[in-house]
Each structure stands twice: as structure tokens, then as C-alpha cells.
Amino acid sequence: MRSLKHYIAQAVHSADTPFAALVFFGSLRDAYSGRYLHEGWGQMASAEEIHSVLRETHQSLFNSVLRLSLIDLSKQLRMHFESLNQPERETSVWWLEAEPFRDLIPQGSSVVLRELFVSKVKTALEVLCHSPGWSELAVARAASLQRQPDRSPLLQWPN
């Protein structure tokens, strides 16, 4: 179990931003069963242990993204679209229409937190659509990464 947590911690820290980590961990949840799966980690722990640790990590990342300011969330969305080599405005418009970010909400989140997340992401996407040249968003990528919150509390699991 300890090596599983080590690999998960590496995955969290290798993400460029908390939003990118949230996208990754959200993608590990099966849409039909709600179970978290990762074939590569299957030899380190049982399916139940993997599910439990991934669920906790997903929830922690979700909480971290909820604490971001609107400007930081907008920057992280911009960086995410850049990493996918997708045009920012067109992708923002599509995300506003299709709302794929709803899949990033962990199961069991309260209605209030769900709606807060959706509202924040929609507003950040609107900023990218309507004010892409806003000076607050023009901070260099390296500086943006340096300002990211410490994610080490995300990795504290009970023994």
C-alpha cells in the first residue's frame, strides 16, 4: 500500500497544476460504476485499496481546485487547453456548452460544492472567451507555476 501511495503522490506532483491533476484523477473513475481503476497499480494493492486511495486523492484535488481564485483557475484552464494543443476560445465555448468538467466532481460531493465548482469553472471559461487578453491572465507560465499552492497536504493519508 505504501508504494501505491508513493506512485499516486508522484502522479499528483507531476501534474502542471492542481486542475491538471484533477483531470487526470477524474479520468481514472469508471463512468458506469463510479469505481476508480488503474491497471498499472493493480499489482501494488487490491482493487478496493486502489479505489479508496484514488477516491480520497480525487476529493482532495477537487477541494484544492475549489480554493483557487478565479484568475488562477482561468490560468490553469488556459494551460490545460494549451497542453492539449486545443484552441482556447473554441474549446472554452465547447466546454461551456457540453460541460465535460462536471465529470471532474467526485462522487458524494455536496450539492453546494458541486454548484460552486460548476459556477467557478463556467465563470473562468467565460473569462477566457470574453477577456482572453486580460492583463491578469498574461503572467508567464513559469511564474504561474511558481505561484501554485503547496499540494503536500493532499498526500497525507492515515496509516
Side-chain angles (χ1 to χ4, degrees), residues 86-121:
Q86 294 296 315
E88 181 178 293
R89 184 166 194 314
E90 291 84 358
T91 306
S92 296
V93 168
W94 183 81
W95 273 42
L96 283 165
E97 183 178 317
E99 299 186 348
F101 49 85
R102 287 186 180 269
D103 292 336
L104 303 178
I105 300 170
Q107 184 177 1
S109 295
S110 73
V111 172
V112 171
L113 292 181
R114 287 172 179 273
E115 292 307 314
L116 176 61
F117 178 78
V118 169
S119 175
K120 284 184 83 166
V121 173

PDB file of all heavy atoms in Angstrom, residues 86-121:
ATOM      1  N   GLN A  86      -5.156  22.622 -27.965  1.00  0.00           N
ATOM      2  CA  GLN A  86      -6.508  22.975 -28.398  1.00  0.00           C
ATOM      3  C   GLN A  86      -6.655  24.496 -28.402  1.00  0.00           C
ATOM      4  O   GLN A  86      -6.138  25.176 -27.511  1.00  0.00           O
ATOM      5  CB  GLN A  86      -7.553  22.371 -27.452  1.00  0.00           C
ATOM      6  CG  GLN A  86      -7.603  20.866 -27.481  1.00  0.00           C
ATOM      7  CD  GLN A  86      -8.039  20.343 -28.829  1.00  0.00           C
ATOM      8  OE1 GLN A  86      -8.990  20.822 -29.433  1.00  0.00           O
ATOM      9  NE2 GLN A  86      -7.302  19.360 -29.340  1.00  0.00           N
ATOM     10  N   PRO A  87      -7.379  25.039 -29.378  1.00  0.00           N
ATOM     11  CA  PRO A  87      -7.600  26.491 -29.399  1.00  0.00           C
ATOM     12  C   PRO A  87      -8.449  26.908 -28.194  1.00  0.00           C
ATOM     13  O   PRO A  87      -9.499  26.323 -27.935  1.00  0.00           O
ATOM     14  CB  PRO A  87      -8.336  26.725 -30.719  1.00  0.00           C
ATOM     15  CG  PRO A  87      -8.876  25.399 -31.122  1.00  0.00           C
ATOM     16  CD  PRO A  87      -8.024  24.347 -30.498  1.00  0.00           C
ATOM     17  N   GLU A  88      -7.968  27.897 -27.483  1.00  0.00           N
ATOM     18  CA  GLU A  88      -8.584  28.293 -26.214  1.00  0.00           C
ATOM     19  C   GLU A  88     -10.041  28.732 -26.350  1.00  0.00           C
ATOM     20  O   GLU A  88     -10.913  28.242 -25.631  1.00  0.00           O
ATOM     21  CB  GLU A  88      -7.752  29.414 -25.604  1.00  0.00           C
ATOM     22  CG  GLU A  88      -8.260  29.896 -24.269  1.00  0.00           C
ATOM     23  CD  GLU A  88      -7.367  30.962 -23.695  1.00  0.00           C
ATOM     24  OE1 GLU A  88      -6.207  30.645 -23.345  1.00  0.00           O
ATOM     25  OE2 GLU A  88      -7.827  32.115 -23.594  1.00  0.00           O
ATOM     26  N   ARG A  89     -10.309  29.654 -27.247  1.00  0.00           N
ATOM     27  CA  ARG A  89     -11.666  30.188 -27.335  1.00  0.00           C
ATOM     28  C   ARG A  89     -12.669  29.126 -27.758  1.00  0.00           C
ATOM     29  O   ARG A  89     -13.717  28.962 -27.143  1.00  0.00           O
ATOM     30  CB  ARG A  89     -11.731  31.378 -28.285  1.00  0.00           C
ATOM     31  CG  ARG A  89     -13.138  31.985 -28.283  1.00  0.00           C
ATOM     32  CD  ARG A  89     -13.228  33.328 -28.905  1.00  0.00           C
ATOM     33  NE  ARG A  89     -14.428  34.060 -28.652  1.00  0.00           N
ATOM     34  CZ  ARG A  89     -15.683  33.620 -28.719  1.00  0.00           C
ATOM     35  NH1 ARG A  89     -15.939  32.391 -28.981  1.00  0.00           N
ATOM     36  NH2 ARG A  89     -16.709  34.415 -28.509  1.00  0.00           N
ATOM     37  N   GLU A  90     -12.345  28.374 -28.806  1.00  0.00           N
ATOM     38  CA  GLU A  90     -13.268  27.349 -29.303  1.00  0.00           C
ATOM     39  C   GLU A  90     -13.484  26.256 -28.258  1.00  0.00           C
ATOM     40  O   GLU A  90     -14.609  25.774 -28.064  1.00  0.00           O
ATOM     41  CB  GLU A  90     -12.758  26.727 -30.606  1.00  0.00           C
ATOM     42  CG  GLU A  90     -12.784  27.666 -31.795  1.00  0.00           C
ATOM     43  CD  GLU A  90     -11.547  28.569 -31.878  1.00  0.00           C
ATOM     44  OE1 GLU A  90     -10.661  28.507 -30.999  1.00  0.00           O
ATOM     45  OE2 GLU A  90     -11.475  29.352 -32.838  1.00  0.00           O
ATOM     46  N   THR A  91     -12.426  25.883 -27.573  1.00  0.00           N
ATOM     47  CA  THR A  91     -12.542  24.842 -26.549  1.00  0.00           C
ATOM     48  C   THR A  91     -13.339  25.354 -25.358  1.00  0.00           C
ATOM     49  O   THR A  91     -14.179  24.629 -24.814  1.00  0.00           O
ATOM     50  CB  THR A  91     -11.144  24.368 -26.107  1.00  0.00           C
ATOM     51  OG1 THR A  91     -10.401  23.968 -27.262  1.00  0.00           O
ATOM     52  CG2 THR A  91     -11.242  23.188 -25.149  1.00  0.00           C
ATOM     53  N   SER A  92     -13.134  26.618 -24.985  1.00  0.00           N
ATOM     54  CA  SER A  92     -13.902  27.201 -23.887  1.00  0.00           C
ATOM     55  C   SER A  92     -15.392  27.239 -24.220  1.00  0.00           C
ATOM     56  O   SER A  92     -16.237  26.903 -23.382  1.00  0.00           O
ATOM     57  CB  SER A  92     -13.400  28.616 -23.575  1.00  0.00           C
ATOM     58  OG  SER A  92     -12.079  28.590 -23.114  1.00  0.00           O
ATOM     59  N   VAL A  93     -15.709  27.627 -25.442  1.00  0.00           N
ATOM     60  CA  VAL A  93     -17.116  27.670 -25.871  1.00  0.00           C
ATOM     61  C   VAL A  93     -17.720  26.266 -25.817  1.00  0.00           C
ATOM     62  O   VAL A  93     -18.834  26.077 -25.312  1.00  0.00           O
ATOM     63  CB  VAL A  93     -17.245  28.282 -27.291  1.00  0.00           C
ATOM     64  CG1 VAL A  93     -18.637  28.073 -27.858  1.00  0.00           C
ATOM     65  CG2 VAL A  93     -16.886  29.760 -27.262  1.00  0.00           C
ATOM     66  N   TRP A  94     -16.971  25.283 -26.310  1.00  0.00           N
ATOM     67  CA  TRP A  94     -17.488  23.906 -26.291  1.00  0.00           C
ATOM     68  C   TRP A  94     -17.673  23.423 -24.856  1.00  0.00           C
ATOM     69  O   TRP A  94     -18.692  22.792 -24.536  1.00  0.00           O
ATOM     70  CB  TRP A  94     -16.552  22.963 -27.057  1.00  0.00           C
ATOM     71  CG  TRP A  94     -17.113  21.577 -27.096  1.00  0.00           C
ATOM     72  CD1 TRP A  94     -18.062  21.101 -27.948  1.00  0.00           C
ATOM     73  CD2 TRP A  94     -16.802  20.499 -26.212  1.00  0.00           C
ATOM     74  NE1 TRP A  94     -18.361  19.790 -27.648  1.00  0.00           N
ATOM     75  CE2 TRP A  94     -17.588  19.409 -26.584  1.00  0.00           C
ATOM     76  CE3 TRP A  94     -15.924  20.359 -25.146  1.00  0.00           C
ATOM     77  CZ2 TRP A  94     -17.539  18.183 -25.930  1.00  0.00           C
ATOM     78  CZ3 TRP A  94     -15.871  19.135 -24.489  1.00  0.00           C
ATOM     79  CH2 TRP A  94     -16.667  18.075 -24.885  1.00  0.00           C
ATOM     80  N   TRP A  95     -16.723  23.712 -23.974  1.00  0.00           N
ATOM     81  CA  TRP A  95     -16.846  23.299 -22.581  1.00  0.00           C
ATOM     82  C   TRP A  95     -18.061  23.955 -21.920  1.00  0.00           C
ATOM     83  O   TRP A  95     -18.737  23.326 -21.111  1.00  0.00           O
ATOM     84  CB  TRP A  95     -15.577  23.637 -21.808  1.00  0.00           C
ATOM     85  CG  TRP A  95     -14.518  22.572 -21.882  1.00  0.00           C
ATOM     86  CD1 TRP A  95     -14.146  21.849 -22.973  1.00  0.00           C
ATOM     87  CD2 TRP A  95     -13.696  22.128 -20.815  1.00  0.00           C
ATOM     88  NE1 TRP A  95     -13.135  20.992 -22.655  1.00  0.00           N
ATOM     89  CE2 TRP A  95     -12.829  21.144 -21.328  1.00  0.00           C
ATOM     90  CE3 TRP A  95     -13.571  22.491 -19.481  1.00  0.00           C
ATOM     91  CZ2 TRP A  95     -11.884  20.497 -20.551  1.00  0.00           C
ATOM     92  CZ3 TRP A  95     -12.619  21.848 -18.708  1.00  0.00           C
ATOM     93  CH2 TRP A  95     -11.802  20.861 -19.233  1.00  0.00           C
ATOM     94  N   LEU A  96     -18.317  25.220 -22.261  1.00  0.00           N
ATOM     95  CA  LEU A  96     -19.498  25.875 -21.704  1.00  0.00           C
ATOM     96  C   LEU A  96     -20.783  25.206 -22.183  1.00  0.00           C
ATOM     97  O   LEU A  96     -21.764  25.120 -21.436  1.00  0.00           O
ATOM     98  CB  LEU A  96     -19.503  27.358 -22.069  1.00  0.00           C
ATOM     99  CG  LEU A  96     -18.556  28.232 -21.258  1.00  0.00           C
ATOM    100  CD1 LEU A  96     -18.357  29.585 -21.928  1.00  0.00           C
ATOM    101  CD2 LEU A  96     -19.073  28.396 -19.829  1.00  0.00           C
ATOM    102  N   GLU A  97     -20.774  24.738 -23.407  1.00  0.00           N
ATOM    103  CA  GLU A  97     -21.958  24.090 -23.973  1.00  0.00           C
ATOM    104  C   GLU A  97     -22.128  22.659 -23.455  1.00  0.00           C
ATOM    105  O   GLU A  97     -23.200  22.272 -23.010  1.00  0.00           O
ATOM    106  CB  GLU A  97     -21.845  24.075 -25.493  1.00  0.00           C
ATOM    107  CG  GLU A  97     -23.056  23.499 -26.191  1.00  0.00           C
ATOM    108  CD  GLU A  97     -22.907  23.553 -27.694  1.00  0.00           C
ATOM    109  OE1 GLU A  97     -22.440  24.577 -28.218  1.00  0.00           O
ATOM    110  OE2 GLU A  97     -23.254  22.545 -28.343  1.00  0.00           O
ATOM    111  N   ALA A  98     -21.078  21.859 -23.499  1.00  0.00           N
ATOM    112  CA  ALA A  98     -21.167  20.431 -23.169  1.00  0.00           C
ATOM    113  C   ALA A  98     -20.920  20.130 -21.684  1.00  0.00           C
ATOM    114  O   ALA A  98     -21.319  19.072 -21.205  1.00  0.00           O
ATOM    115  CB  ALA A  98     -20.180  19.639 -24.026  1.00  0.00           C
ATOM    116  N   GLU A  99     -20.262  21.022 -20.985  1.00  0.00           N
ATOM    117  CA  GLU A  99     -19.956  20.900 -19.565  1.00  0.00           C
ATOM    118  C   GLU A  99     -19.252  19.589 -19.181  1.00  0.00           C
ATOM    119  O   GLU A  99     -19.642  18.917 -18.224  1.00  0.00           O
ATOM    120  CB  GLU A  99     -21.209  21.100 -18.718  1.00  0.00           C
ATOM    121  CG  GLU A  99     -21.821  22.472 -18.898  1.00  0.00           C
ATOM    122  CD  GLU A  99     -22.984  22.757 -17.969  1.00  0.00           C
ATOM    123  OE1 GLU A  99     -23.496  21.826 -17.303  1.00  0.00           O
ATOM    124  OE2 GLU A  99     -23.382  23.928 -17.898  1.00  0.00           O
ATOM    125  N   PRO A 100     -18.168  19.229 -19.882  1.00  0.00           N
ATOM    126  CA  PRO A 100     -17.458  17.991 -19.530  1.00  0.00           C
ATOM    127  C   PRO A 100     -16.797  18.060 -18.153  1.00  0.00           C
ATOM    128  O   PRO A 100     -16.495  17.028 -17.557  1.00  0.00           O
ATOM    129  CB  PRO A 100     -16.408  17.860 -20.638  1.00  0.00           C
ATOM    130  CG  PRO A 100     -16.154  19.261 -21.082  1.00  0.00           C
ATOM    131  CD  PRO A 100     -17.497  19.943 -20.974  1.00  0.00           C
ATOM    132  N   PHE A 101     -16.617  19.267 -17.634  1.00  0.00           N
ATOM    133  CA  PHE A 101     -15.992  19.449 -16.327  1.00  0.00           C
ATOM    134  C   PHE A 101     -16.837  18.882 -15.199  1.00  0.00           C
ATOM    135  O   PHE A 101     -16.350  18.640 -14.101  1.00  0.00           O
ATOM    136  CB  PHE A 101     -15.675  20.933 -16.072  1.00  0.00           C
ATOM    137  CG  PHE A 101     -16.825  21.851 -16.359  1.00  0.00           C
ATOM    138  CD1 PHE A 101     -17.802  22.093 -15.419  1.00  0.00           C
ATOM    139  CD2 PHE A 101     -16.924  22.469 -17.601  1.00  0.00           C
ATOM    140  CE1 PHE A 101     -18.859  22.941 -15.688  1.00  0.00           C
ATOM    141  CE2 PHE A 101     -17.980  23.322 -17.887  1.00  0.00           C
ATOM    142  CZ  PHE A 101     -18.956  23.555 -16.926  1.00  0.00           C
ATOM    143  N   ARG A 102     -18.129  18.657 -15.447  1.00  0.00           N
ATOM    144  CA  ARG A 102     -18.980  18.034 -14.419  1.00  0.00           C
ATOM    145  C   ARG A 102     -18.475  16.635 -14.047  1.00  0.00           C
ATOM    146  O   ARG A 102     -18.686  16.174 -12.924  1.00  0.00           O
ATOM    147  CB  ARG A 102     -20.432  17.973 -14.869  1.00  0.00           C
ATOM    148  CG  ARG A 102     -21.114  19.321 -14.860  1.00  0.00           C
ATOM    149  CD  ARG A 102     -22.602  19.199 -15.162  1.00  0.00           C
ATOM    150  NE  ARG A 102     -23.253  20.481 -15.159  1.00  0.00           N
ATOM    151  CZ  ARG A 102     -23.826  21.048 -14.099  1.00  0.00           C
ATOM    152  NH1 ARG A 102     -23.819  20.416 -12.944  1.00  0.00           N
ATOM    153  NH2 ARG A 102     -24.403  22.228 -14.187  1.00  0.00           N
ATOM    154  N   ASP A 103     -17.805  15.970 -14.981  1.00  0.00           N
ATOM    155  CA  ASP A 103     -17.253  14.642 -14.713  1.00  0.00           C
ATOM    156  C   ASP A 103     -16.079  14.686 -13.740  1.00  0.00           C
ATOM    157  O   ASP A 103     -15.626  13.643 -13.276  1.00  0.00           O
ATOM    158  CB  ASP A 103     -16.813  13.964 -16.010  1.00  0.00           C
ATOM    159  CG  ASP A 103     -17.975  13.616 -16.915  1.00  0.00           C
ATOM    160  OD1 ASP A 103     -19.113  13.472 -16.409  1.00  0.00           O
ATOM    161  OD2 ASP A 103     -17.749  13.491 -18.132  1.00  0.00           O
ATOM    162  N   LEU A 104     -15.589  15.866 -13.438  1.00  0.00           N
ATOM    163  CA  LEU A 104     -14.468  16.016 -12.510  1.00  0.00           C
ATOM    164  C   LEU A 104     -14.922  16.099 -11.057  1.00  0.00           C
ATOM    165  O   LEU A 104     -14.111  16.075 -10.143  1.00  0.00           O
ATOM    166  CB  LEU A 104     -13.650  17.263 -12.864  1.00  0.00           C
ATOM    167  CG  LEU A 104     -13.091  17.320 -14.279  1.00  0.00           C
ATOM    168  CD1 LEU A 104     -12.352  18.630 -14.506  1.00  0.00           C
ATOM    169  CD2 LEU A 104     -12.195  16.124 -14.552  1.00  0.00           C
ATOM    170  N   ILE A 105     -16.223  16.188 -10.842  1.00  0.00           N
ATOM    171  CA  ILE A 105     -16.765  16.290  -9.490  1.00  0.00           C
ATOM    172  C   ILE A 105     -16.774  14.907  -8.855  1.00  0.00           C
ATOM    173  O   ILE A 105     -17.344  13.967  -9.409  1.00  0.00           O
ATOM    174  CB  ILE A 105     -18.192  16.875  -9.514  1.00  0.00           C
ATOM    175  CG1 ILE A 105     -18.176  18.269 -10.140  1.00  0.00           C
ATOM    176  CG2 ILE A 105     -18.792  16.895  -8.112  1.00  0.00           C
ATOM    177  CD1 ILE A 105     -19.558  18.841 -10.428  1.00  0.00           C
ATOM    178  N   PRO A 106     -16.147  14.767  -7.684  1.00  0.00           N
ATOM    179  CA  PRO A 106     -16.128  13.454  -7.031  1.00  0.00           C
ATOM    180  C   PRO A 106     -17.511  13.027  -6.563  1.00  0.00           C
ATOM    181  O   PRO A 106     -18.334  13.860  -6.165  1.00  0.00           O
ATOM    182  CB  PRO A 106     -15.208  13.657  -5.818  1.00  0.00           C
ATOM    183  CG  PRO A 106     -14.513  14.941  -6.044  1.00  0.00           C
ATOM    184  CD  PRO A 106     -15.367  15.755  -6.950  1.00  0.00           C
ATOM    185  N   GLN A 107     -17.732  11.738  -6.612  1.00  0.00           N
ATOM    186  CA  GLN A 107     -18.988  11.170  -6.127  1.00  0.00           C
ATOM    187  C   GLN A 107     -19.125  11.482  -4.640  1.00  0.00           C
ATOM    188  O   GLN A 107     -18.155  11.446  -3.888  1.00  0.00           O
ATOM    189  CB  GLN A 107     -18.972   9.661  -6.340  1.00  0.00           C
ATOM    190  CG  GLN A 107     -20.245   8.972  -5.968  1.00  0.00           C
ATOM    191  CD  GLN A 107     -20.174   7.480  -6.278  1.00  0.00           C
ATOM    192  OE1 GLN A 107     -19.169   6.977  -6.758  1.00  0.00           O
ATOM    193  NE2 GLN A 107     -21.247   6.790  -5.997  1.00  0.00           N
ATOM    194  N   GLY A 108     -20.308  11.834  -4.219  1.00  0.00           N
ATOM    195  CA  GLY A 108     -20.557  12.122  -2.814  1.00  0.00           C
ATOM    196  C   GLY A 108     -20.353  13.576  -2.431  1.00  0.00           C
ATOM    197  O   GLY A 108     -20.573  13.941  -1.277  1.00  0.00           O
ATOM    198  N   SER A 109     -19.934  14.422  -3.374  1.00  0.00           N
ATOM    199  CA  SER A 109     -19.772  15.850  -3.071  1.00  0.00           C
ATOM    200  C   SER A 109     -21.146  16.463  -2.820  1.00  0.00           C
ATOM    201  O   SER A 109     -22.128  16.101  -3.465  1.00  0.00           O
ATOM    202  CB  SER A 109     -19.097  16.581  -4.232  1.00  0.00           C
ATOM    203  OG  SER A 109     -17.793  16.129  -4.417  1.00  0.00           O
ATOM    204  N   SER A 110     -21.192  17.393  -1.896  1.00  0.00           N
ATOM    205  CA  SER A 110     -22.468  18.036  -1.580  1.00  0.00           C
ATOM    206  C   SER A 110     -22.962  18.850  -2.772  1.00  0.00           C
ATOM    207  O   SER A 110     -22.178  19.252  -3.637  1.00  0.00           O
ATOM    208  CB  SER A 110     -22.320  18.950  -0.363  1.00  0.00           C
ATOM    209  OG  SER A 110     -21.588  20.107  -0.717  1.00  0.00           O
ATOM    210  N   VAL A 111     -24.240  19.104  -2.793  1.00  0.00           N
ATOM    211  CA  VAL A 111     -24.847  19.907  -3.852  1.00  0.00           C
ATOM    212  C   VAL A 111     -24.218  21.300  -3.880  1.00  0.00           C
ATOM    213  O   VAL A 111     -23.940  21.847  -4.951  1.00  0.00           O
ATOM    214  CB  VAL A 111     -26.380  19.993  -3.664  1.00  0.00           C
ATOM    215  CG1 VAL A 111     -27.002  20.971  -4.645  1.00  0.00           C
ATOM    216  CG2 VAL A 111     -27.011  18.622  -3.809  1.00  0.00           C
ATOM    217  N   VAL A 112     -23.961  21.857  -2.719  1.00  0.00           N
ATOM    218  CA  VAL A 112     -23.380  23.198  -2.645  1.00  0.00           C
ATOM    219  C   VAL A 112     -21.993  23.211  -3.295  1.00  0.00           C
ATOM    220  O   VAL A 112     -21.686  24.100  -4.096  1.00  0.00           O
ATOM    221  CB  VAL A 112     -23.302  23.686  -1.174  1.00  0.00           C
ATOM    222  CG1 VAL A 112     -22.509  24.970  -1.065  1.00  0.00           C
ATOM    223  CG2 VAL A 112     -24.693  23.860  -0.604  1.00  0.00           C
ATOM    224  N   LEU A 113     -21.156  22.233  -2.971  1.00  0.00           N
ATOM    225  CA  LEU A 113     -19.812  22.184  -3.558  1.00  0.00           C
ATOM    226  C   LEU A 113     -19.865  21.894  -5.055  1.00  0.00           C
ATOM    227  O   LEU A 113     -19.070  22.443  -5.820  1.00  0.00           O
ATOM    228  CB  LEU A 113     -18.942  21.154  -2.841  1.00  0.00           C
ATOM    229  CG  LEU A 113     -18.574  21.497  -1.401  1.00  0.00           C
ATOM    230  CD1 LEU A 113     -17.698  20.406  -0.799  1.00  0.00           C
ATOM    231  CD2 LEU A 113     -17.893  22.851  -1.314  1.00  0.00           C
ATOM    232  N   ARG A 114     -20.792  21.061  -5.462  1.00  0.00           N
ATOM    233  CA  ARG A 114     -20.954  20.771  -6.898  1.00  0.00           C
ATOM    234  C   ARG A 114     -21.284  22.059  -7.652  1.00  0.00           C
ATOM    235  O   ARG A 114     -20.679  22.368  -8.670  1.00  0.00           O
ATOM    236  CB  ARG A 114     -22.083  19.760  -7.127  1.00  0.00           C
ATOM    237  CG  ARG A 114     -21.774  18.364  -6.727  1.00  0.00           C
ATOM    238  CD  ARG A 114     -23.054  17.496  -6.832  1.00  0.00           C
ATOM    239  NE  ARG A 114     -22.753  16.145  -6.470  1.00  0.00           N
ATOM    240  CZ  ARG A 114     -22.301  15.232  -7.326  1.00  0.00           C
ATOM    241  NH1 ARG A 114     -22.147  15.524  -8.588  1.00  0.00           N
ATOM    242  NH2 ARG A 114     -22.022  14.014  -6.918  1.00  0.00           N
ATOM    243  N   GLU A 115     -22.258  22.792  -7.149  1.00  0.00           N
ATOM    244  CA  GLU A 115     -22.690  24.014  -7.817  1.00  0.00           C
ATOM    245  C   GLU A 115     -21.625  25.102  -7.758  1.00  0.00           C
ATOM    246  O   GLU A 115     -21.463  25.864  -8.715  1.00  0.00           O
ATOM    247  CB  GLU A 115     -24.020  24.503  -7.240  1.00  0.00           C
ATOM    248  CG  GLU A 115     -25.181  23.571  -7.569  1.00  0.00           C
ATOM    249  CD  GLU A 115     -25.308  23.265  -9.059  1.00  0.00           C
ATOM    250  OE1 GLU A 115     -25.236  24.194  -9.901  1.00  0.00           O
ATOM    251  OE2 GLU A 115     -25.473  22.073  -9.403  1.00  0.00           O
ATOM    252  N   LEU A 116     -20.892  25.166  -6.657  1.00  0.00           N
ATOM    253  CA  LEU A 116     -19.794  26.121  -6.566  1.00  0.00           C
ATOM    254  C   LEU A 116     -18.740  25.811  -7.615  1.00  0.00           C
ATOM    255  O   LEU A 116     -18.265  26.707  -8.324  1.00  0.00           O
ATOM    256  CB  LEU A 116     -19.172  26.094  -5.167  1.00  0.00           C
ATOM    257  CG  LEU A 116     -17.937  26.981  -4.972  1.00  0.00           C
ATOM    258  CD1 LEU A 116     -18.272  28.447  -5.220  1.00  0.00           C
ATOM    259  CD2 LEU A 116     -17.367  26.770  -3.574  1.00  0.00           C
ATOM    260  N   PHE A 117     -18.379  24.544  -7.758  1.00  0.00           N
ATOM    261  CA  PHE A 117     -17.384  24.132  -8.750  1.00  0.00           C
ATOM    262  C   PHE A 117     -17.863  24.481 -10.160  1.00  0.00           C
ATOM    263  O   PHE A 117     -17.125  25.081 -10.943  1.00  0.00           O
ATOM    264  CB  PHE A 117     -17.108  22.631  -8.630  1.00  0.00           C
ATOM    265  CG  PHE A 117     -16.126  22.120  -9.644  1.00  0.00           C
ATOM    266  CD1 PHE A 117     -14.762  22.320  -9.481  1.00  0.00           C
ATOM    267  CD2 PHE A 117     -16.559  21.418 -10.762  1.00  0.00           C
ATOM    268  CE1 PHE A 117     -13.851  21.842 -10.417  1.00  0.00           C
ATOM    269  CE2 PHE A 117     -15.660  20.932 -11.702  1.00  0.00           C
ATOM    270  CZ  PHE A 117     -14.302  21.157 -11.520  1.00  0.00           C
ATOM    271  N   VAL A 118     -19.075  24.112 -10.485  1.00  0.00           N
ATOM    272  CA  VAL A 118     -19.619  24.381 -11.815  1.00  0.00           C
ATOM    273  C   VAL A 118     -19.632  25.883 -12.079  1.00  0.00           C
ATOM    274  O   VAL A 118     -19.219  26.343 -13.149  1.00  0.00           O
ATOM    275  CB  VAL A 118     -21.029  23.762 -11.976  1.00  0.00           C
ATOM    276  CG1 VAL A 118     -21.719  24.264 -13.237  1.00  0.00           C
ATOM    277  CG2 VAL A 118     -20.942  22.234 -11.986  1.00  0.00           C
ATOM    278  N   SER A 119     -20.061  26.660 -11.119  1.00  0.00           N
ATOM    279  CA  SER A 119     -20.114  28.114 -11.271  1.00  0.00           C
ATOM    280  C   SER A 119     -18.721  28.701 -11.494  1.00  0.00           C
ATOM    281  O   SER A 119     -18.527  29.548 -12.373  1.00  0.00           O
ATOM    282  CB  SER A 119     -20.759  28.730 -10.030  1.00  0.00           C
ATOM    283  OG  SER A 119     -20.717  30.121 -10.095  1.00  0.00           O
ATOM    284  N   LYS A 120     -17.739  28.240 -10.710  1.00  0.00           N
ATOM    285  CA  LYS A 120     -16.379  28.764 -10.847  1.00  0.00           C
ATOM    286  C   LYS A 120     -15.784  28.406 -12.205  1.00  0.00           C
ATOM    287  O   LYS A 120     -15.157  29.252 -12.850  1.00  0.00           O
ATOM    288  CB  LYS A 120     -15.486  28.238  -9.720  1.00  0.00           C
ATOM    289  CG  LYS A 120     -15.735  28.917  -8.396  1.00  0.00           C
ATOM    290  CD  LYS A 120     -14.764  28.449  -7.331  1.00  0.00           C
ATOM    291  CE  LYS A 120     -13.479  29.238  -7.458  1.00  0.00           C
ATOM    292  NZ  LYS A 120     -12.607  29.082  -6.274  1.00  0.00           N
ATOM    293  N   VAL A 121     -15.968  27.167 -12.634  1.00  0.00           N
ATOM    294  CA  VAL A 121     -15.404  26.759 -13.922  1.00  0.00           C
ATOM    295  C   VAL A 121     -16.081  27.513 -15.058  1.00  0.00           C
ATOM    296  O   VAL A 121     -15.411  28.008 -15.969  1.00  0.00           O
ATOM    297  CB  VAL A 121     -15.484  25.227 -14.128  1.00  0.00           C
ATOM    298  CG1 VAL A 121     -15.065  24.842 -15.534  1.00  0.00           C
ATOM    299  CG2 VAL A 121     -14.621  24.500 -13.101  1.00  0.00           C
TER     300      VAL A 121
END
